[in-house]
Amino acid sequence: CIDAGHNYSGFDTGATGNGLMEQDVTFKIADKLKNLLINSGISVTMTRAKITDDVGVDAKDSINQRVRLANTTKCDYFVSIHCNSNEDKSANGTETLICGKGGKAEALAESVNSNIVKYLGLKDRGIKVDTEYLGYKLGVLHNTDMPAILIETAFISNPNDAKLLKEKADEFAKAIFEGFCERLGISVSAEDDTEPEGIVKELQKMIEINDVNAAVDAIKKAKAENSSLYWILYKLTKKDVADTNTPAEEPEQIENAKYSVVGTTHVIEIDPRKIWAVETQCSTKSVTYDNFVNSLFFMNLKSGKTHPQGIMVNAGKVIANNPTHGKPVATLVVYGKDNVSLKYIDDITKENGVWFAVSGYGIYPNITAAQEGFTGAFSDVTRTADRPIIGYRKKDNKIVIAVRAGTSAERAKQTAENLGLDFAISLDGGGSTTLKVNGKYKFTGDGRKIFGGIIWE
């Protein structure tokens, strides 16, 4: 969880100095850090998704909400990014705060702090244990459930430090990123940042007019041997190119569906009337259908069978009508060939004219797992795992199934947005994740018996 310190407007807007505002500086560094981490395969949650975001209704609530987000999404680390300030304009340097010594937070703080000193040439003010740093304990360090650090990157009040904060956001982000790499055993990406300025400007124009295909062609031609085309596109679009609409492989037709691998995401686009729901009661490794993805949550019975926990309808026939926790569940419903909706339903028999339906929990436009009863022990459904989602894209009237390895709920939400979906739900993930296309397994799960799934022509 990356916490860009302070808020854009109103309360708790941070320090100012030398023409800079802390809330803007922290977000720019946080956003660049996010991109570096995602590009290395790490899932990221941001307390401020946009630079204009304000968190909470007052200063205390703002802290509580940041902590709550990190805890409920079960992040492994919490990193809060700030700028220091002092009435003494000569005060300078970088320091990192933790709530106690001897743990993972201290180890991470040491790596991050030393990298910032190394990259930026700042004075090393060291690692500080927060007792009452500002006259009170820092909630983001003491109330988070995971190792947490708070980085005071540099003094916004010092002219020399402020110049670095203004001009070297990339270097601050890279220093923090490499601190993570050192502690987590991740190899630092060797992306090539030496693209000729003319090429970058040309690509930027293409992307601004949404000509992504032309941009990719230009990247392939210009940097075929010594640069990663996906890294360049990633930097220019500020998106994870693993989910742009530019497939890494040529699309494969499957009767009334299209299959492609977009970066690392397996994508199937289906006409709404060419999708079916089935009960299988089979192992993830013994699916008999050529085109299949697993669907509902389920529970195991003593008889050896599985019992569905959710809603499923096939060709107008109700297969399952068991909302997972007795609460309305996010359900994708097909009424007709061009009438597809996302509804929260506790009894599918009350809906008229349903052709197909499948439930899970809401992923896009909002993650609604908690309101659907996935709390406490059940909140792990949002964890990072192999994950199938299903959604609808109205502009071309397609049901879209996307399956991606190592994906949290937040990351799945981003996938849905990147694929241009109007809405999407998460199906059962983890060891249940199974995907077959044209008779070939793409994901095999762990061999457990599953209740059923979705097939297509």
Side-chain angles (χ1 to χ4, degrees):
C1 181
I2 304 174
D3 175 37
H6 300 285
N7 284 320
Y8 178 75
S9 62
F11 59 91
D12 191 30
T13 51
T16 60
N18 296 289
L20 299 177
M21 293 186 290
E22 182 179 3
Q23 66 270 34
D24 293 347
V25 173
T26 60
F27 181 85
K28 289 173 183 176
I29 295 172
D31 193 51
K32 292 176 185 294
L33 174 61
K34 175 195 73 174
N35 292 342
L36 290 170
L37 290 168
I38 291 175
N39 192 55
S40 295
I42 296 174
S43 298
V44 174
T45 294
M46 296 280 282
T47 61
R48 289 169 60 200
K50 303 187 299 295
I51 195 169
T52 54
D53 279 355
D54 293 326
V55 181
V57 296
D58 56 38
K60 183 178 180 180
D61 184 51
S62 183
I63 298 299
N64 290 340
Q65 286 204 31
R66 293 166 203 258
V67 169
R68 190 179 303 119
L69 175 64
N71 290 346
T72 56
T73 53
K74 298 186 181 298
C75 294
D76 297 302
Y77 288 89
F78 183 91
V79 180
S80 191
I81 299 174
H82 287 258
C83 302
N84 223 329
S85 184
N86 198 298
E87 291 182 3
D88 179 0
K89 300 298 189 279
S90 67
N92 67 98
T94 187
E95 61 190 25
T96 303
L97 282 70
I98 55 177
C99 69
K101 291 209 169 194
K104 291 181 179 180
E106 182 183 16
L108 177 61
E110 288 176 347
S111 290
V112 167
N113 206 77
S114 62
N115 271 290
I116 293 175
V117 170
K118 178 176 71 174
Y119 273 97
L120 282 303
L122 285 158
K123 175 184 176 181
D124 187 355
R125 298 172 64 92
I127 310 303
K128 306 282 180 69
V129 175
D130 171 52
T131 51
E132 292 192 358
Y133 185 71
L134 298 173
Y136 52 87
K137 288 186 177 181
L138 297 173
V140 293
L141 295 181
H142 293 272
N143 299 331
T144 41
D145 294 337
M146 66 292 300
I149 66 173
L150 187 149
I151 308 164
E152 294 284 7
T153 51
F155 278 76
I156 201 169
S157 52
N158 179 281
N160 294 327
D161 279 18
K163 189 173 189 295
L164 294 175
L165 291 170
K166 181 179 180 180
E167 298 177 358
K168 302 291 184 179
D170 284 304
E171 284 80 356
F172 276 104
K174 189 172 183 180
I176 300 168
F177 168 67
E178 292 197 7
F180 262 102
C181 292
E182 289 173 10
R183 288 301 166 187
L184 302 183
I186 302 166
S187 61
V188 179
S189 299
E191 69 273 1
D192 180 3
D193 280 328
T194 62
E195 296 83 20
E197 185 178 350
I199 294 175
V200 173
K201 287 184 177 179
E202 182 182 352
L203 293 173
Q204 185 70 63
K205 288 180 182 178
M206 294 175 184
I207 291 165
E208 284 175 356
I209 63 172
N210 204 30
D211 194 351
V212 177
N213 290 330
V216 170
D217 288 342
I219 293 169
K220 286 179 179 178
K221 182 178 179 181
K223 307 295 293 183
E225 295 183 357
N226 59 3
S227 182
S228 164
L229 69 95
Y230 287 125
W231 175 251
I232 302 169
L233 187 60
Y234 178 81
K235 288 192 295 185
L236 294 176
T237 59
K238 303 299 184 185
K239 290 183 179 179
D240 183 340
V241 296
D243 293 317
T244 65
N245 290 322
T246 307
E249 298 177 10
E250 199 65 31
E252 182 179 350
Q253 289 298 133
I254 318 165
E255 292 290 333
N256 298 288
K258 183 177 77 173
Y259 165 69
S260 58
V261 180
V262 184
T264 60
T265 305
H266 297 259
V267 181
I268 303 98
E269 301 165 72
I270 311 167
D271 291 340
R273 277 284 183 165
K274 303 298 181 180
I275 190 169
W276 316 89
V278 292
E279 180 180 352
T280 60
Q281 296 287 349
C282 71
S283 160
T284 62
K285 297 182 179 180
S286 61
V287 173
T288 58
Y289 297 97
D290 285 342
N291 298 306
F292 176 93
V293 69
N294 63 291
S295 56
L296 298 183
F297 295 96
F298 58 88
M299 61 184 294
N300 296 309
L301 302 177
K302 289 183 179 180
S303 64
K305 283 196 169 187
T306 56
H307 181 69
Q309 296 292 294
I311 289 170
M312 194 157 69
V313 176
N314 180 62
K317 180 181 177 181
V318 176
I319 297 175
N321 191 25
N322 307 299
T324 319
H325 299 286
K327 296 184 177 183
V329 288
T331 308
L332 184 147
V333 184
V334 177
Y335 296 96
K337 65 177 183 177
D338 56 358
N339 185 2
V340 183
S341 297
L342 172 65
K343 289 193 172 183
Y344 288 81
I345 296 173
D346 58 6
D347 184 355
I348 193 65
T349 63
K350 294 179 181 178
E351 293 289 314
N352 296 320
V354 175
W355 168 257
F356 168 91
V358 64
S359 69
Y361 67 81
I363 279 288
Y364 186 78
N366 298 302
I367 298 172
T368 57
Q371 76 183 51
E372 296 175 55
F374 292 96
T375 57
F378 299 106
S379 63
D380 72 338
V381 297
T382 64
R383 73 190 186 281
T384 297
D386 296 348
R387 182 182 303 280
I389 66 172
I390 183 170
Y392 179 63
R393 192 168 57 219
K394 186 175 182 180
K395 69 178 182 180
D396 57 356
N397 190 33
K398 295 293 183 184
I399 300 284
V400 178
I401 294 168
V403 187
R404 189 175 188 271
T407 301
S408 66
E410 283 287 345
R411 185 61 189 77
K413 179 181 178 181
Q414 185 64 56
T415 295
E417 180 179 357
N418 291 348
L419 292 173
L421 305 187
D422 293 273
F423 54 80
I425 63 174
S426 176
L427 302 172
D428 189 14
S432 299
T433 300
T434 310
L435 177 64
K436 281 183 75 176
V437 180
N438 278 351
K440 296 179 181 178
Y441 273 107
K442 309 299 180 180
F443 289 79
T444 57
D446 61 6
R448 70 185 63 181
K449 181 183 281 189
I450 53 177
F451 172 77
I454 299 164
I455 63 174
W456 55 90
E457 294 181 4

